[in-house]
Amino acid sequence: LTEWPGVEVFTPSHARPRVHTRPPRLTIASPVRQNPRVLRAFLRNINELDTRGHEVRYAFIDDNEDPAASALLLDWMRGRRGNIARIAPAEDPERNPYQRGPVQHEWSAESTTRLAEIRNRLLGLACEGMADHLLLLDSDVLLRPDTLGWLLDADKPIVSEVMWTRYFPYETSSYPNVWAWGDSSFFDGYAGEQLDQYEVAKRLLAWRKKMRTPGLYEVSGLGAVTLIQRTALHDIYLHGGFRPMRTLTSWGEDRFFCARAEALGYSRWADTHAQPLHLYRDGDLRKVAGWRRRWSSVVGKAGMALGD
């Protein structure tokens, strides 16, 4: 109501009505196929996340091959009110298995298509739960406690926290979980642009330097640690979400999702303030204690125990 000049709308006997608002709703979701050691670190890390006053709901798809990992996940979910743990689609999981080897992860177009359906189920669960935000995670990623704060403060329809991964042990370079343009280019450019090797190398270095500088940057694609606002979540889900697109010659569920977002007018952004730890190989578990100590100032404020 608007108060007119000289007219007292609200009086002691007719007070301004109280408006009761609910806390914002956050769904934290992940498809889970892990060994128990990595999964235990992931679940512990989720407990330590600062959720910024949100009403939190967890939605996990149990796609584990190890019964011990399934038991660990269900035990963690037990007692957490309003949470969901679903079983992955039943269609022959052995036909197109995803392999998490000691050197690298092995994907195929078939296995990513299956993963796309699993991720779409998570989008649907978040929509059904009337989530204001969906935080979609890979189950081998550890987040700093303040990560969600940075993603929320970005106030973008789709934003990812940048992490770096060395995909082969013998490589000296690591790669981010976001790309600059197209479906996989790690430097700024546009379709049809003619570049020599010197210019490509120059742009690669410039873009990598930018992605390691604290800030918020618009990108073409992203994945692994993604916060999606409600409007974008519903719109992209209703238009196919992570499902394959016949108009794309490359494959990968994150590429399909980002292409749909682009077509629907939703920009994608990368935040670089709170770098996660990617447990890409089992040996990366050795990095956890050092990673936690590195962010001790933030970790300490969140009341986490260090070094264990």
Side-chain angles (χ1 to χ4, degrees), residues 46-214:
I46 292 296
N47 284 335
E48 298 165 341
L49 190 65
D50 180 1
T51 57
R52 297 283 287 265
H54 282 68
E55 179 185 310
V56 181
R57 184 187 194 211
Y58 300 94
F60 293 139
I61 299 294
D62 181 5
D63 194 30
N64 289 296
E65 296 179 306
D66 188 335
S70 292
L72 178 63
L73 177 62
L74 294 176
D75 183 65
W76 187 89
M77 294 289 280
R78 189 177 294 115
R80 286 175 167 80
R81 184 178 177 183
N83 299 328
I84 297 174
R86 297 280 177 86
I87 304 301
E91 62 271 10
D92 194 6
E94 296 302 324
R95 184 179 59 188
N96 299 305
Y98 150 66
Q99 298 295 336
R100 187 180 191 274
V103 176
Q104 68 173 123
H105 299 192
E106 296 179 7
W107 293 96
S108 65
E110 292 80 10
S111 60
T112 56
T113 298
R114 181 172 183 271
L115 181 58
E117 291 301 320
I118 294 175
R119 291 192 187 278
N120 270 357
R121 290 184 67 182
L122 294 174
L123 296 184
L125 291 172
C127 290
E128 292 171 11
M130 296 186 295
D132 297 295
H133 291 91
L134 167 64
L135 180 60
L136 191 57
L137 299 175
D138 285 358
S139 59
D140 58 358
V141 176
L142 304 187
L143 304 180
R144 276 174 40 173
D146 61 337
T147 301
L148 184 60
W150 288 109
L151 296 176
L152 289 169
D153 289 344
D155 194 25
K156 299 297 182 182
I158 306 169
V159 58
S160 186
E161 196 64 37
V162 176
M163 67 181 185
W164 296 80
T165 304
R166 192 159 53 92
Y167 289 106
F168 294 94
Y170 53 80
E171 284 185 321
T172 57
S173 297
S174 55
Y175 297 89
N177 56 316
V178 300
W179 55 95
W181 71 278
D183 61 10
S184 60
S185 296
F186 295 116
F187 58 89
D188 292 316
Y190 58 86
E193 185 179 17
Q194 300 297 317
L195 302 174
D196 57 31
Q197 292 182 349
Y198 174 78
E199 183 62 24
V200 169
K202 180 182 175 181
R203 292 191 186 186
L204 278 169
L205 290 174
W207 192 78
R208 290 173 66 88
K209 182 179 180 180
K210 182 170 71 172
M211 287 298 104
R212 290 190 179 277
T213 303

